[in-house]
């Protein structure tokens, strides 16, 4: 996956995913803002965290944090990683 903007669909609707300087933010507009991926565990956790907000907007922040951490740890143990593709010049 490159670091370009794209759209994705959750059960709550279609979201625009914008890569900018935000660590992570999901809005009701609906937009998900993420920093460009570097392939770290923290990047994976942030992406899962924001996806949970989009999919389950009524969850509390504490519940989203716990769920994202559990899912990230599970996927990381399975060797799932975000791949960062180098942009073509």
């Amino acid at each position: 996956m490159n670091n370009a903007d794209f759209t994705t669909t959750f059960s709550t609707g279609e979201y625009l995913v914008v890569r900018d300087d935000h660590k992570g933010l999901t809005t009701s507009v609906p937009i998900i803002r993420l920093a460009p991926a570097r392939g770290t565990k923290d990047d994976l956790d942030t992406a899962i965290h924001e996806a949970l907000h989009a999919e389950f907007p009524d969850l509390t922040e504490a519940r989203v944090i716990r769920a994202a951490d559990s899912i990230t740890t599970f996927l990381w143990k399975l060797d799932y990683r975000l791949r960062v593709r180098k942009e073509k010049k």
Side-chain angles (χ1 to χ4, degrees):
M1 171 192 252
N2 63 26
N3 284 321
D5 298 347
F6 63 93
T7 59
T8 191
T9 303
F10 293 96
S11 65
T12 55
E14 186 173 83
Y15 281 74
L16 173 63
V17 178
V18 176
R19 303 298 181 96
D20 60 16
D21 61 348
H22 278 76
K23 175 163 168 49
L25 176 69
T26 301
T27 68
S28 61
V29 172
I31 295 174
I32 296 174
R33 298 175 75 175
L34 297 169
R38 298 161 311 201
T40 65
K41 186 177 181 184
D42 187 54
D43 289 343
L44 180 63
D45 183 73
T46 300
I48 292 168
H49 180 105
E50 298 310 325
L52 287 168
H53 276 303
E55 189 65 36
F56 306 106
D58 294 331
L59 287 181
T60 65
E61 183 69 11
R63 185 65 188 115
V64 169
I65 289 169
R66 286 193 310 272
D69 183 59
S70 297
I71 294 167
T72 299
T73 299
F74 170 70
L75 293 175
W76 202 257
K77 286 180 180 180
L78 291 172
D79 290 326
Y80 280 84
R81 302 293 186 269
L82 289 174
R83 288 185 291 164
V84 180
R85 295 185 188 180
K86 296 180 181 177
E87 294 187 28
K88 296 178 182 179
K89 294 182 179 180

